Amino acid sequence: MRFIHISDVPLDTAFASRPDALRSRLRHASLEALERCVSTALAEKVDALLIAGDLFDGPYLSFETERFLLERIGRLADAGIQVVYATGNHDPGTGHRATGLQWPGGVTVIARGDPVTVPVHDRTGELAGHVTGAGHASAHETTDLSRHLKPATDARVPQVALLHTQVATAAERQAHHPYAPSTLEHLRSAGFHYWALGHVHLRQELSGDPPIHYSGNLQGRSPRETGPKGGLLVDLGDPGRPLVEFREFAPVRWEKLAVSTLADATTLDEVAGEVVRAWEAARKDDPGSEGTEWMVAVELAGPSPIWRQLREPQELETIEDEVAARLGAVGAEVCARVHPKVRVHEHIERRDVLGATLQLCREVAGGAREFRLAETDLAGFDPERDATVGDYLRRLLAGGEEEILERMLERKGAPQ
């Protein structure tokens, strides 16, 4: 049996916090990734496409996505390629519009925790294998659904398990809720020739014998999901010698970039230039696939003569636009962890005016000093923004230690 294993697509993610043009590009990237997956399934003449949950991001399903999905899945059905889809926590069987779609023939949607075994046939009509799966009936499945899955009794053909689960020892499992929790020990001993898993977005092999894989998500959605994304092409023609091959489907790839060479950069051109140099160095060993579009998450770090300016949200937005334009990227996100050339911890223990001032600033911001001030005594106090006087003081003193250092050391010279 040959099949493609994908999971965590998830279609119709809103990307609500991003600008309209970028939001539209990222939403359509998931559709393009699925298009590439379907094209690969047709070209490779696989027997089945297995979807291990979270095909959708939530209950909302746009008409555009509905039409696109049914047309593409219809192409698989016309070619005799079966689709087995077990629901996950984002698209549970209860109350999700997807379960009510008029799916083409050859599609099996497993929307409950009760196991379903699907015979998979090759293009000649011969039995190629069985897929046994369980779905999430609700968005908060706490049962170990893996305990319900048993291989079919026909031992002549490969047996595949399909499940959206958090395996207790999986890498990066902490980034996901522990829904349908399972253990690697049980999965390995359950008698299947392959486990097609979803839920954890990091592609990884948990076991080689038998093969137990997370395919990872089909298209990255944030800076936490870096690297090439796609699905797994699996060949169990000889179950004793399984072949598992990663195929990249995502058109947009996220990458992080740390830039700490800003000690002499004082203009937008110089800051953007440092980012470009760091990006070109990073891409020498990892240029990406042909046609890859990039989303870049940049962290500006280290000492900078314009550290204060680089902490302003409006200035960061300008840097984002400039960096995206220079790199030819879909978009860029920039954050700053910059500081003056001198550091607070190097001077806070001083026994002079500077040390005393830094210590007082830290005590006030940390709430160690009580000033008995009324809200009406404070200029700029906003009860909607500042819940308490302490919150007001912490906001007011944000960056205050660095400001003190700059004024007393860099501008006036350090007291001896």
Side-chain angles (χ1 to χ4, degrees), residues 92-366:
T94 302
H96 197 284
R97 279 181 57 192
T99 59
L101 293 178
Q102 296 301 308
W103 293 94
V107 176
T108 301
V109 179
I110 305 175
R112 297 289 187 273
D114 297 329
V116 174
T117 296
V118 181
V120 174
H121 298 86
D122 62 22
R123 291 170 182 261
T124 68
E126 292 293 322
L127 181 66
H130 290 103
V131 176
T132 300
H136 290 224
S138 73
H140 305 283
E141 180 61 64
T142 58
T143 302
D144 182 355
L145 298 176
S146 72
R147 301 283 173 171
H148 300 167
L149 305 186
K150 308 294 181 184
T153 55
D154 190 342
R156 298 173 300 140
V157 294
Q159 306 295 318
V160 176
L162 179 65
L163 187 63
H164 196 79
T165 176
Q166 188 200 64
V167 180
T169 53
E172 293 194 9
R173 64 192 179 281
Q174 299 90 344
H176 308 276
H177 293 291
Y179 297 139
S182 60
T183 65
L184 181 58
E185 291 76 14
H186 173 71
L187 302 188
R188 295 187 67 179
S189 64
F192 289 97
H193 296 105
Y194 182 92
W195 279 87
L197 305 181
H199 188 48
V200 175
H201 291 186
L202 177 67
R203 183 177 73 255
Q204 56 190 292
E205 178 187 81
L206 300 183
S207 168
D209 184 20
I212 301 173
H213 287 260
Y214 279 108
S215 62
N217 52 337
L218 195 70
Q219 165 65 60
R221 298 189 300 166
S222 76
R224 296 188 302 273
E225 299 173 347
T226 59
K229 297 288 185 177
L232 300 174
L233 176 62
V234 182
D235 190 330
L236 298 180
D238 179 357
R241 300 180 64 182
L243 301 176
V244 182
E245 178 186 347
F246 170 70
R247 292 295 182 92
E248 185 174 359
F249 298 140
V252 178
R253 177 173 159 183
W254 289 81
E255 285 300 335
K256 295 179 181 179
L257 186 69
V259 180
S260 57
T261 55
L262 303 173
D264 297 318
T266 59
T267 66
L268 172 63
D269 179 67
E270 291 171 342
V271 171
E274 291 300 323
V275 174
V276 170
R277 277 187 282 276
W279 178 256
E280 291 174 346
R283 299 279 68 79
K284 284 183 179 179
D285 295 330
D286 183 12
S289 301
E290 183 178 356
T292 294
E293 300 175 66
W294 300 92
M295 277 292 300
V296 187
V298 181
E299 180 183 87
L300 305 178
S304 168
I306 54 171
W307 62 272
R308 189 186 303 101
Q309 188 175 4
L310 292 177
R311 291 184 178 183
E312 293 294 331
Q314 187 173 357
E315 302 286 34
L316 292 178
E317 290 177 6
T318 301
I319 297 175
E320 290 173 347
D321 293 340
E322 184 70 16
V323 166
R326 293 198 186 195
L327 298 181
V330 174
E333 297 181 355
V334 179
C335 68
R337 302 284 188 268
V338 292
H339 56 78
K341 292 181 179 179
V342 290
R343 304 300 302 273
V344 171
H345 71 269
E346 297 171 351
H347 296 274
I348 196 168
E349 299 298 332
R350 297 171 64 125
R351 295 185 177 276
D352 57 15
V353 173
L354 175 57
T357 306
L358 291 174
Q359 293 165 24
L360 176 60
C361 182
R362 181 161 295 186
E363 289 173 3
V364 172

Side-chain angles (χ1 to χ4, degrees), residues 7 44 53 55 65 75 102 113 124 143-144 189-191 211 237 239 263 308 369 392 397 415:
S7 68
E44 293 287 345
L55 178 60
T65 297
R75 290 174 59 195
Q102 296 301 308
T124 68
T143 302
D144 182 355
S189 64
R308 189 186 303 101
R369 292 203 173 223
Y392 167 83
L397 290 170

